[in-house]
Each structure stands twice: as C-alpha cells, then as structure tokens.
C-alpha cells in the first residue's frame, strides 16, 4: 500500500511540472485554455483516440502530458521490457539471477501503475472505475506483485515454483489505451465467435461421425500403420487422426493402410477431405470473413461518429457569434492549427485555411471546421524546385558541357536499363562459386559501379529531393550499398589480418549482396505497384502480428511451464547416450528423433516461439505436439483437448490473415 | 468420307420424324410456327442457352429435337463412355481387348459427329464454321480416328505405342454446347491469368532470391539433412526445396539442419514463410478473387443482355397491334406458356398471367412479356390441404379418440426430442463393441423404433406431403432406414445360413448405421440452415468438380503414359524381393517405401486419380512426385519444370474453390 501511494505522489509531481509541447506561453490565460481544450479534441479526432477527459485547465494540461510521445514511448518501452523478461527468467535463453529480473519487473509494475494513476487524473473519476480496462490492469498488477513476493520467498527457501502470472503480462500490451488497434482486432474476433460456433459444431459432428464410421470399418481388420501402430482401433485416437487429416498434415499416411487393404476405402478418405478440409474450411472462412467485415464496418462507423462529436466539442470551445451563426475567427483557427500540427509549414497552413474558408471571409464556418481533422490527416508533399547545392557553389563547373552531358546520361532511360543489366550479371556472379579470386574481385567492381551510380544520381538530382521521406527505394539502395561496402571492407580487413573469414561478417556480406538484387523490382512499373500496395497494408498486418505475438506469448509461457526440459537438444558431436533420442528414453527410434526435431522444444522462450510458428504452418504439427505430450503427460483425453483448443485457436487466427 | 455422309443422312431422317414435345397438333399451321419459334426463344432465355439458330420452321423443329432431353442425355452418356474407356484401356484397371475398346470408341466418335452434324443443320452455316468449338471438336474427332487406326495397325503387329490423343478426350466434355458452365469457368480462369502473372513473377523472383541466399549461407557449411542428403549445396535443389516450403509440405524438416547449426538461422526460414506462404499466397488469392468476381460480373451482364434480346425476338414473333402499341393476346400467351412449361398446373399459369397482366386487359404488354423467362424460373410450391387417404377410406377409425391422441403425440415437440435422445443413445451403442449379442440385438430395437417413427408420421401427415419433392430430410430418413433394414436382414440371413459375415454387407450396415446419426442435424434450426446453404451451392461446386475432373483426366492420362508400371504395389504377404521397395530397386529404404506409399502410382486411371487427389491435398506431394521422377527419368531440370507446372496449376485450381 505504501508503494502505491508513493507511485501516486510521484505521478502527481510529474503532472505538476507538465510541459505542454508547442504551446506559446505569452498569450492571455482564458482563450489559451479554450484553445488547449479545442486542440486536445482535434488531436483526439485526428488520431482516432477515444479517451474521455476532464475539461478543467489542469486536467487538459495533464491530458497533453499523458499523450506526449515520450510518455507513450516510455509505456511501450516498459511493456516491452516486461514481456522480454521471459528471455531471462528460468527457463531462460540468457539466464539472469532471480533478484535482477524481480527488480526489473517491480520497476515495470511501478511504471504501469503510475501511468494508470496519471490516467485516473485525466479521466472523470466515475468513468475511470467503470472502465474494465483499468480494473483489469490493476488486478493484473496486484496478482503479479503477489506472485513475485511468493516466488521470492520460495526462491530463498530454494523451492522452485510455477510463476503463473507471467501468462497475464500481455494484458498490459492489450489494455493500455495506446493499443487501440490490437483491442479492436480482438473485439472483432470475439464478436465473430458466436457466429462460427454453429459451423464449428457441425464440423465437429462430422469429424466424430466419420471417426465412428472409420472405427467400425477398419478397427476390426487388425490393420497396422507404417509405424506399426494399431489403425483406428481406439475411438479417441481415430478422432485425433481424422482431425489431423483436416489440417492435411498426415494426408496420405492415414489413408494408406486402408487403401492397401482395399482400394475402394480410399473413397471414404476422399469424401472426408472434400467435406471437412475443403467445404467446411471454406464455409468457416466465408463466415469469418463476412462477420469480420460486418463488425469492422460497425467499428468504423462508430469511429466516424466519435470523430465528428469531438470536432463539435472543439468547435463549441472556440465559437463566437457572427451574425446569425456561430463561427471561429481566422486568427484562432490559425493558433489552433499551430498547436495541433506545429511542424507543418506556413504555406501548408494557408492551403488548409483556403480549403476551410473558400468564401475568403475572416472566419471559418462550422461544417468547414468539422473537416479539419481529416484535412490534417492528408499527407501534403511539398515539392520545391531547389537548385543543386553544387550549382550555387560552383555554377561555372556545374554548367559546363561535360557536366551537362553527365546529367543527360543519368537522366536517360538507358542509364536505368544499363544498371538493370549490371544487376542481372551480378546475380550470375553471386550464384557462381566465390572461392575463385576472379569472382571475389568482381565483387569490388560491382560495388564500385553501384557507388558510382548513387554518386552520379546525387550529382544530377538535388540530394534533398533524392533523400526525401517518401523516396523509399533511394534510401533502400543507399543503405544496402553502404552497408555492403562496410561489411565487405571489414571482411577483407579481417581476412588479410588473420587469414580467417569471420562467419558472421561473411553471412552479412552474402545477405546484403542478395538483397541488392531487389533493386530490379523498382525498374518494372507493375512490380513497384504490387510492392507499394504491400507496404501500404503493412500497418494492418503489423496489428495482426501484434495480436499473434500476444497469443504466442501466452502459449509459449504456458508451454514452458509444462514442457520445459523434457526434450533436449544435443550438438552433433555429443556423446550422451540419449543424444539420439532428444534426451528422452521414450523417443528412441521415434519419427521425431529420426527427423532430428530435437530442437523443437519449449526450453526457452525463443525456442517456444519457433515451435509455435511451426505449429502455425501446420505441417507436422501433430507429430511435434504428440511428442510434447508423451514426454510430459500420458496421452489422455485432457491432453488431446488441450491440443485441439490450441490448434483451433491458431487456425482461427491464421484465417484472419 | 462415306461414314460422314452416312451420319449426316441418318441425322436428317431423324430430324424428319422429330416429335416436338408437348405440342398440340390440332392448331392451324402458320401461328403454330410463330408460336414454336417464340417458344424456342423463351426456352433459350429461361435456361440461358446461347445458340444462334435458323428461324425457318424446319430448322426450329430440328432445334427442338436438338435440345430434347433424350438427345442431351445421350450426348452426356457417350462423353462419359468415351472418358471411362481409360478404365479399360492398357494400362487398365479392368483390362479389355483392344478390339472392344476401339469399337466402343468408334461408336462414341460417330455419336459425337452426328451430334455435330445435327447442330450444323440448326445453326446458320456461316456461324457454324466460325465457331471454334465446332472446329475443335471436328479436329479432335479426326485426330482420335487417325490415332485409333495407327494403334490398331500397330497392335496387330504387336507393337505397343503411346495413345497420345486420349489426352484430348475431355475436349468433348468442354466443347459441346451443354457444358456452358464448365466453359464459363474455364474462360474466367483464363481471363485471370494475365493479371496474376506479375504477382507470380514477383513471387518467383522472391523464391529465387531466397534460394540464392540459402545457398550462400548454408551451402558451404557441409550440413546434412535428416536423410543424410547435402543441404542447399545445389542451386536448383535449393529452389525446389524452398518452393516446397511455400506449400508447407516440408515445413520443419527443411529448417532443422540450419536451426540445429545456429538458432538465428531460423529467422531466415520464418521470414521466408511469412513473405511467401502467407503474404504472397494471400495476394494471389485476393487478385484471383477480385478478377474472378469482375469477369463473372461481366459474364452475368452479358447473359442478362442475351436473355432480354431473346425475349424481344419471341415478342416480335407473336406481337399484334393493339391501339398504338404492340402486344400479345392472352390466348397466344397461354399457348406459349403451355408449350414452354407443359408441366405447370393451370392455377400456376393463371398466377403467371395475373402477374404479367395486372391491368386485367385481354393482352400482355411488351415489358411484362420480357419478364416471362424470369417468372418461369421462379419455383412455386403448391401447398394443398389434402385429406389423409385413411381419413377418406376409414373416417370413423381415423377420427377415433385413440387416433386423435396419436396425432397429438406425433405433432408434439416432445416426439422430436424423444427421437433425438434415441439417436444419441444409438450413437453410444454404435460406438460400443458389437461382438456382444446384447448390442447386436439392440440394433433391431433401434431399427424398429425408427420404422415406427416413420409409420407414425405417415399416419399423422399426408403421405403425399411427407414425400413431396422439397422434403429432402424425409426422403433421406426413409431411404437410410429402409436400406439399413434390408442390409441388416441380409446380413442376419447370411450369418444364420453360412455362419459367416459378408464383409461387404457388414460395411454397408456400418455405414448406414452411422449415416442415421445425421438426422440429429435436422432438429437444430441453425444446423439445418447451414446444410441447406451447402445444398444450394452444390450446383456451383459440381461445375468446379467437373473442371477439376477434366484437369485430373488430362494429368492422369499423361501420367499413365510416363509413369505406369514403374512403381508396383505388392500385397502384404508377397515374397517378391522387391516388395519392400515398391518394385523399384532405386526406392530401397527410401522414405516413400518406408511409409508404405507403394499404392500411390500411375498404374491405372483409378490409382492416378487418387494420387492426383493426394497431390491436391498438398501434404507430402514433393515426396510422391520426386519418387515418380527418380523411377522414370533422371531428376533433370525439365522434370522439375514439369512438377512446378503441375503443382502451380493444381494450386491455382484449388484457390478457386
């Protein structure tokens, strides 16, 4: 309790010193506060934030501070640190003493708590206690602390316990106000669940009925699988096998014994695959897609409504009466825009004003003002016909006949084509054996050519335009070439110094060399369009990656508690008698050990994530999970249930992609 | 040539005797012909047929005959016979002498040719020779004949040749006018191809670049796969491995050696899977889906336009002037509907007339007439409150107190629930061991209960309503129960007669027993909706099945010519030294032979189809195809190309589903 109040007072003192960014302090007090309030509303509308805040001047200043980028980054930083603690806690990829991780965790918890206290000062008190997000975070902090204390006490007594509350850590990522996107995606998934429930039940019914049929047809025939196991003699194993068949992971294998026995039995399996793998999965996808779209549309409609309401609030804070209607004076409008978007240029602001006020009166009307948030979101690229710096420094030289000729050459289409050819030749050289000195030296030639290209382009075009924010490909080219130059030089230096290639540096050199080939994409219009589309949908994909990481994290932590240490990986030269059965006697001569899957284990969080990726990719998932099961538990019903839940969840998520 | 003219005259004589179905012959000649012409147009509009035909009375009569259901079924029958010849031709599942199959094939070719000649009499001559479909069929018939003659000659000389033109057989299925749907699907796919080309090229570029990187990173490390093969040392093998990884078929295996060597290398594979398996495949799907929708929309727009044009033609054939506008008299309208839809009831026809003529004048206007084709396509279910037959025969008994009580019980909701419970109990009994006599006898109890249920329902509801066309579930129930009754009785009879269970009969009994459980679906409203939706999209799915069968057929025939006899299956008790390596010394101790995949071969058309289904399901496809390759050809570049083409094609088709 003491700690809590300390965190609170700490947050208070922070709030007292709050500096509002971009705020001119010389203006009078009253209008200033109105402006601040309006700017806060416009900010929220612009970034689709949806936090109810108190409108008192003090609370608005606190709210500014709450939304300050440094505070947001700090929050994300602590969330990241908290999540990445799993790397260092037992079972650890990089072990650290318990005291260190515990201290870091307490630090994170304090940070989360103070963020929450800060939020409670910003938002109306009654709303704060009604919001499940806040309650959820508070309860999680409490549980984490209790768990930590118990663990600390037990670790002093040398008793190893399970740290259950590590599973709860992703709650911070999901429930802090900054993760609106992830929360929205979660909500959409949750809303879809009841509607796919019936399809799922029907699907399960079909799997169960087919399994029953399989047991009746094949169970009494004493058939054996290729591994010598009994074939559909046990009902639950049959269900599991046919469930795996839905994911196609054991596709011909499960059919072969029956097919070998009588070829007509193949019809059973083909009918099963058509019905369950193709038809039911397509129906799943269709239902999920339709409902997801529906819910997303609702969400967006709600967002648009909230945005408009916020802009109305902002308008009400600044309005003055002009004739019969309320308007905002041009001067206040300009102040507001300066506050909201301090980094846009004067000309840009003038442009926005002209759009909002096309009648050229000295005020902005209500409807025009409501559009401001959208106007601010429009990216305006300022094209300036700048003079090349060399032209202003050495005008005579830069305008000489030779220089003009160079410009003409660089601007010619043939220049691009020439370098496309060079890239293709380079690709062939990369594919060739790099042991011969000729090829190794060719690398220097290519590097020189690429650097020459960049220099020529910088000479011809204005460097500030060449390196503008939206010139993705120029940045990419330059980065790849400069990095390759550095890596190749370092490699050559190391080699001449020690007659020894550093494998890491060499790997980087190889990767950079191949990445260089990507530049060819930029030369074909249609490829550029596809790549640009992919770049545009990147933010949405990243949201889903966040979502998947949350789910992976939970499963990885649970998996580590259950399965860690059960399967061990031995280096190739190990002499351990269990090296060929992954450290578990049970796995001797199993498919798992024979396929050298020993590194697919839950011994630390990195391995766990890789195993989970493999499970998401679906192929061989049954084998990996089965081994996890038999090394830890008896393959009982509850274990199968766990497997099925896990896979269904992952399947569901994958379908959203 | 002689044969051709014979077929022609044959078709002529047929046409002379053509009987137009449902046509009253007592009316005057002239209007009759107009009516026939109009009816032909309305028919075409109603079924979206799109055949230009001559408008002379003789040609119209021929056209009726051309579209007669018997002719269509005959055409499909001959196509089916022609396609199924592959079952009996060498390499055959059921071998027949060459003479028999050759004779049947000639018969089919004659049938196709006479169908074509018939068509040439219906359609205008210049259009007939411009239509590529007809030319295509004619050339195929010619090629087939030549091939057959050469083969026959060589078979007399005991020389085995390749029958190349068997690949062309699906052309009949696709190119006869009856297969509009399949052709439309093919056209849509063909139209999509150019638009996915660029995505495909980018995807291939990515695969090639990643393979290059993999070769550079892992090739020089002397790593070995679990099978002891070199790891990414050869560029083309690397490309193949990474291509297989896109289909996830070798998912963790291809990563494990690098992952075991250094865990950071897993990032390479995860990046590859995210980029190529998830992102690129999603983009593929999106592009295909979008373009397919676009082309389908165009097709449907075209269809609607054609339909309207045909209805206008029909109107023009029948119009008379009434005041200032052209109309159709009610009498002629009725004649027309009688011609077009002879099997609809009088009340239904009156209903259509009232819809078309709501002003209650004695004629039908142009716009109302144009809607006729759509009106005819609307399914009208006639609900008749019929008296139960027993009620009219034995009114006293049927209305007695006991009888009324039975009706009340059967109509009560509890009746349905009771039988749901019985089905569930039945499910448990089915799952239990059926060796014990108690369980075997329970089967008779359940059968009796189900039969009782059907009889009670027939007693309560009118049998004609119970077995109406749209009562799918009633039909299903009755069929399953009656079949189970017969099968169980036959089984019991056989058992008591010979103390021996016929395995085939027993299998059927088992299948029928489990199918009975499906009835539970009917009791849950939401399940019924899903199943009805699936039944409604069945025709579309069947079109795609037809499409896939065409592609399978081509690949199966080609595969049989190349791979047949290379891999052989031996029964379990075989003593052949090659039994454990599928009859090919090369496969000794291979994964293929160890997994007992020997029956996955191209030795006859049935096996080929099953192999192709397995390839479509994707899992293990690389292994199966690789084995096909090493047993027949050297794994050369051209072989890989063939594999890639095949898989890409199948992938493409699967994505349409």
């Amino acid at each position: 309790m003491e700690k809590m109040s300390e965190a609170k007072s700490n947050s208070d003192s922070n709030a007292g010193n709050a500096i509002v960014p971009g705020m001119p302090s010389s203006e009078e007090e009253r209008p200033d506060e109105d402006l601040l309030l309006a700017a806060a509303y416009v900010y929220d509308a612009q970034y689709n934030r949806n936090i109810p805040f108190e409108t008192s001047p003090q609370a608005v200043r606190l709210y500014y501070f709450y939304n300050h980028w440094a505070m947001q980054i700090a929050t994300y930083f602590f969330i990241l640190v908290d999540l990445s603690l799993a790397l260092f806690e037992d079972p650890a990829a990089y072990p650290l003493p318990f005291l260190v991780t515990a201290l870091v965790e307490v630090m994170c918890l304090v940070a989360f708590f103070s963020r929450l206290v800060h939020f409670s000062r910003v938002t109306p008190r009654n709303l704060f206690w009604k919001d499940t997000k806040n309650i959820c975070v508070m309860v999680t902090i409490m549980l984490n602390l209790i768990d930590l204390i118990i663990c600390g006490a037990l670790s002093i007594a040398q008793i190893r316990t399970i740290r259950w509350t590590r599973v709860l850590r992703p709650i911070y990522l999901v429930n802090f106000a900054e993760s609106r996107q992830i929360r929205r995606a979660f909500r959409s998934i949750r809303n879809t669940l009841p509607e796919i429930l019936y399809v799922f039940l029907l699907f399960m019914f079909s799997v169960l009925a087919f399994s029953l049929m399989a047991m009746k047809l094949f169970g009494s025939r004493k058939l054996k699988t290729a591994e010598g196991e009994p074939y559909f003699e046990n009902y639950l194993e049959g269900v599991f096998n046919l469930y795996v068949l839905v994911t196609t992971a054991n596709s011909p294998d499960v059919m072969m014994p029956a097919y070998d026995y009588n070829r007509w039995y193949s019809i059973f399996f083909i009918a099963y695959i058509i019905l369950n793998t193709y038809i039911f999965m397509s129906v799943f996808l269709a239902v999920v897609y339709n409902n997801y779209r529906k819910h997303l549309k609702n969400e967006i409609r709600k967002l648009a409504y909230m945005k408009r309401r916020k802009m109305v609030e902002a308008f009400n804070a600044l309005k003055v009466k002009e004739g019969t209607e309320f308007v905002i004076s041009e001067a206040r409008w300009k102040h507001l825009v300066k506050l909201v978007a301090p980094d846009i240029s004067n000309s840009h602001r003038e442009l926005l004003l002209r759009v909002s006020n096309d009648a050229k009166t000295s005020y902005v009307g209500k409807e025009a003002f409501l559009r401001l948030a959208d106007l601010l979101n429009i990216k305006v690229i300022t094209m300036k016909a700048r003079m090349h710096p060399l032209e202003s420094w050495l005008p005579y030289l830069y305008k000489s006949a030779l220089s003009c000729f160079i410009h003409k050459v660089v601007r010619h289409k043939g220049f691009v084509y020439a370098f496309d050819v060079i890239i293709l030749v380079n690709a062939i050289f990369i594919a060739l054996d790099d042991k011969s000195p000729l090829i190794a030296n060719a690398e220097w030639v290519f590097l020189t050519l690429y650097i020459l290209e960049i220099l020529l382009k910088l000479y011809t075009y204005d460097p500030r335009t060449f390196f503008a924010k939206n010139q993705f490909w120029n940045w990419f080219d330059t980065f790849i070439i400069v990095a390759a130059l550095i890596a190749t030089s370092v490699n050559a230096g190391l080699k001449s110094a020690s007659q020894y290639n550093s494998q890491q540096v060499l790997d980087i050199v190889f990767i950079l060399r191949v990445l260089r080939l990507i530049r060819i994409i930029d030369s074909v219009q249609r490829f550029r369009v596809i790549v640009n589309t992919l770049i545009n949908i990147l933010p949405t994909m990243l949201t889903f990656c966040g979502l998947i990481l949350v789910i992976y994290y939970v499963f990885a932590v649970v998996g580590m508690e259950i399965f860690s240490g059960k399967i061990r990986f031995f280096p190739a030269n190990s002499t351990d008698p269990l090296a060929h059965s992954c450290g578990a006697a049970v796995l001797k001569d199993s498919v798992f050990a024979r396929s050298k899957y020993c590194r697919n284990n839950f011994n630390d969080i990195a391995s766990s994530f890789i195993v989970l990726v493999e499970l998401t990719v679906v192929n061989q998932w049954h084998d990996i999970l089965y081994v996890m099961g038999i090394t830890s538990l008896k393959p009982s019903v509850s274990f199968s249930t766990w497997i099925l839940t896990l896979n269904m969840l992952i399947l569901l998520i994958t379908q959203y992609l």
Side-chain angles (χ1 to χ4, degrees), chain A:
Chain A
M1 263 300 122
E2 209 175 1
K3 197 173 267 168
M4 275 176 125
S5 64
E6 184 188 295
K8 207 176 226 167
S9 71
N10 186 27
S11 146
D12 275 1
S13 67
N14 269 348
N17 303 332
I19 303 143
V20 179
M23 239 221 52
S25 55
S26 63
E27 296 194 311
E28 331 81 314
E29 192 57 18
R30 262 294 297 162
D32 200 14
E33 273 160 13
D34 281 349
L35 259 181
L36 263 186
L37 179 62
Y41 280 125
V42 175
Y43 249 135
D44 281 7
Q46 191 185 349
Y47 296 109
N48 282 322
R49 267 198 301 250
N50 188 19
I51 304 169
F53 58 90
E54 300 251 33
T55 50
S56 73
Q58 170 73 1
V60 171
R61 271 166 211 278
L62 264 176
Y63 185 57
Y64 266 89
F65 186 55
Y66 183 79
N67 284 328
H68 195 272
W69 60 267
M71 291 298 278
Q72 302 219 12
I73 284 182
T75 311
Y76 277 120
F77 172 76
F78 280 113
I79 290 173
L80 196 72
V81 167
D82 194 42
L83 287 176
S84 60
L85 275 178
L87 271 172
F88 307 104
E89 286 166 344
D90 184 54
Y94 307 100
L96 280 181
F98 177 77
L99 202 66
V100 177
T101 61
L103 268 178
V104 173
E105 185 157 15
V106 169
M107 214 171 68
C108 291
L109 292 181
V110 169
F112 298 148
F113 189 71
S114 46
R115 178 83 179 154
L116 207 61
V117 170
H118 188 166
F119 184 63
S120 75
R121 294 299 174 92
V122 168
T123 202
R125 188 142 300 234
N126 58 333
L127 287 181
F128 179 81
W129 291 104
K130 267 187 201 154
D131 193 342
T132 41
K133 287 197 293 291
N134 304 327
I135 311 293
C136 196
V137 169
M138 259 184 289
V139 169
T140 314
I141 290 176
M142 209 109 76
L143 286 176
N144 263 348
L145 262 182
I146 294 169
D147 186 39
L148 203 61
I149 290 164
I150 293 175
C151 249
L154 288 173
S155 82
I156 290 167
Q158 300 283 330
I159 302 170
R160 201 193 160 277
T161 54
I162 294 170
R163 295 228 23 221
W164 288 112
T165 57
R166 301 202 300 171
V167 179
L168 302 176
R169 279 180 193 160
I171 286 179
Y172 301 123
L173 179 58
V174 175
N175 272 346
F176 270 114
E178 286 73 19
S179 317
R180 244 160 272 115
Q181 301 279 358
I182 293 183
R183 227 155 40 231
R184 206 169 294 145
F186 256 120
R187 206 156 48 223
S188 297
I189 292 178
R190 209 180 47 209
N191 287 336
T192 327
L193 284 182
E195 294 168 73
I196 57 170
L197 180 70
Y198 282 91
V199 182
F200 179 72
L201 285 179
L202 203 57
F203 162 74
M204 279 319 293
F205 173 78
S206 147
V207 172
L208 293 177
F210 267 101
S211 309
L212 195 56
M213 220 186 271
M215 191 177 76
K216 289 283 138 186
L217 289 179
F218 313 127
S220 55
R221 301 257 153 103
K222 307 274 169 229
L223 299 178
K224 295 271 172 249
T225 65
E227 298 291 313
E229 312 264 322
Y231 188 66
F232 282 108
E233 292 185 14
N234 175 309
Y235 184 59
L236 282 175
E237 271 177 26
V239 172
F240 182 68
N241 275 332
L242 284 185
Y243 176 72
V244 173
L245 184 57
V246 174
T247 65
T248 76
N250 59 355
S251 162
D253 306 77
V254 75
M255 180 175 89
M256 289 323 286
Y259 182 36
D260 284 351
Y261 182 79
N262 183 338
R263 61 158 63 191
W264 291 101
Y265 285 137
S266 62
I267 293 172
F268 172 85
F269 291 96
I270 291 175
Y272 180 83
I273 287 177
I274 290 176
L275 184 66
N276 288 298
T277 308
Y278 290 126
I279 296 181
F280 265 114
M281 287 299 126
S282 305
V283 173
F284 260 123
L285 188 66
V287 172
V288 165
Y289 175 78
N290 261 340
N291 283 305
Y292 188 75
R293 248 176 78 125
K294 200 175 73 190
H295 291 298
L296 207 67
K297 266 188 194 159
N298 275 343
E299 296 268 349
I300 286 169
R301 204 170 295 140
K302 223 160 65 189
L303 274 185
Y305 169 73
M306 300 294 282
K307 182 183 263 187
R308 197 184 157 83
R309 226 183 50 180
K310 285 205 197 80
M311 290 308 290
V312 170
E313 297 273 8
F315 181 77
N316 288 340
L318 296 182
K319 68 185 174 185
V320 287
K321 196 142 188 174
E322 173 78 32
T324 57
E325 53 184 330
F326 286 105
V327 294
I328 291 175
S329 74
E330 216 177 272
R332 299 211 85 185
W333 187 93
K334 276 187 185 165
H335 273 306
L336 180 73
V337 174
K338 254 184 209 157
L339 258 180
V340 174
D343 52 349
I344 66 173
S345 64
N346 280 329
S347 54
H348 186 177
R349 203 178 319 121
E350 282 300 318
L351 178 72
L352 291 182
L353 182 61
R354 285 286 79 79
V355 172
S356 300
N357 178 14
D358 45 4
K360 299 214 175 177
T361 47
S362 65
Y363 47 81
V364 175
K366 184 170 178 181
E367 278 312 309
F369 180 77
L370 295 187
R371 286 201 307 270
L372 179 61
D374 296 321
L375 284 179
L376 286 172
N377 273 338
I378 296 170
K379 289 257 179 305
V380 174
I381 296 166
T382 324
M383 294 285 271
K384 282 181 193 148
R386 278 184 185 148
M387 203 186 265
H388 196 284
L390 280 178
E391 197 174 346
S392 45
W393 297 341
L394 304 164
Y396 179 72
L397 209 66
Y398 196 72
K399 296 221 165 205
S400 68
L402 178 69
S403 173
C404 282
F405 176 71
I406 293 176
H407 295 169
K408 219 170 133 189
V409 166
V410 173
R411 289 206 165 103
H412 195 268
K413 272 196 167 181
F415 186 74
V416 177
Y417 292 145
F419 270 92
D420 286 350
V421 171
I422 290 174
I423 291 173
L424 287 179
V425 174
N426 193 182
I428 297 166
F429 270 80
I430 292 172
L432 292 174
D433 184 26
D434 50 317
K435 293 285 178 293
S436 91
L438 179 76
I439 308 261
N441 289 334
E443 174 60 18
W444 287 108
V445 175
F446 284 114
L447 265 183
T448 317
L449 279 172
Y450 294 132
I451 290 166
L452 197 70
E453 186 200 5
I454 291 175
L455 288 179
L456 278 174
K457 277 186 178 167
L458 280 179
Y459 180 72
T460 310
Y461 307 108
D462 175 53
R464 283 160 295 183
T465 318
F466 188 78
F467 286 126
K469 261 184 193 169
N470 57 335
Q471 296 293 316
F472 170 76
W473 285 107
N474 290 342
W475 282 97
F476 179 80
D477 278 8
T478 314
F479 171 76
I480 291 287
I481 299 300
V482 170
L485 186 67
I486 293 168
T488 312
S489 309
V490 167
N491 188 42
L494 280 177
K495 202 173 177 182
S496 64
S498 62
Q499 294 297 320
Y500 159 80
N501 272 327
S502 160
Q503 202 59 60
Q504 274 78 28
V505 176
L506 210 57
D507 280 355
I508 292 169
V509 170
F510 285 144
I511 292 172
L512 287 172
R513 262 186 220 167
V514 177
L515 282 181
R516 212 186 287 156
L517 303 182
I518 296 179
R519 298 178 63 220
I520 204 116
I521 291 174
D522 193 34
S523 306
V524 184
Q525 169 69 20
R526 298 287 289 260
F527 287 168
R528 211 162 42 206
V529 170
I530 299 171
V531 172
N532 284 340
T533 311
L534 286 181
I535 291 173
N536 284 337
I537 60 171
L538 209 64
T540 320
M541 289 204 291
L542 284 182
T543 308
F544 274 102
C545 282
L547 199 80
I548 288 172
L549 284 185
V550 165
I551 292 167
Y552 275 13
Y553 192 87
V554 172
F555 275 104
V557 168
V558 172
M560 271 154 57
E561 296 291 2
I562 303 175
F563 303 123
S564 81
K566 297 296 194 305
I567 295 165
R568 278 176 297 145
F569 170 72
F570 297 85
N573 50 6
S574 161
T575 54
D576 194 293
L578 285 174
H580 287 293
S581 57
C582 304
V586 146
L587 293 180
K588 205 163 156 59
D589 291 326
S590 66
V591 179
F592 188 87
R594 245 193 287 130
S595 308
K596 300 200 174 152
Y597 279 5
C598 305
R599 219 171 189 171
N600 293 324
N601 57 39
F602 279 95
N603 292 356
D604 58 65
I605 191 128
S607 305
S608 308
F609 265 72
I610 291 171
V611 172
L612 288 171
V613 170
E614 288 173 9
L615 293 181
T616 311
V617 175
V618 166
N619 199 50
Q620 303 290 357
W621 70 268
H622 57 301
D623 213 35
I624 297 169
L625 274 192
Y626 185 72
V627 164
M628 296 296 154
I630 56 167
T631 50
S632 321
L633 323 157
K634 294 225 160 59
S636 61
V637 186
S638 73
F639 168 65
S640 305
T641 325
W642 194 78
I643 288 182
L644 293 182
T645 326
L646 180 127
N647 194 257
M648 280 317 298
L649 241 171
I650 290 176
L651 215 85
L652 194 77
I653 302 301
T654 337
Q655 288 204 341
Y656 277 100
L657 272 173

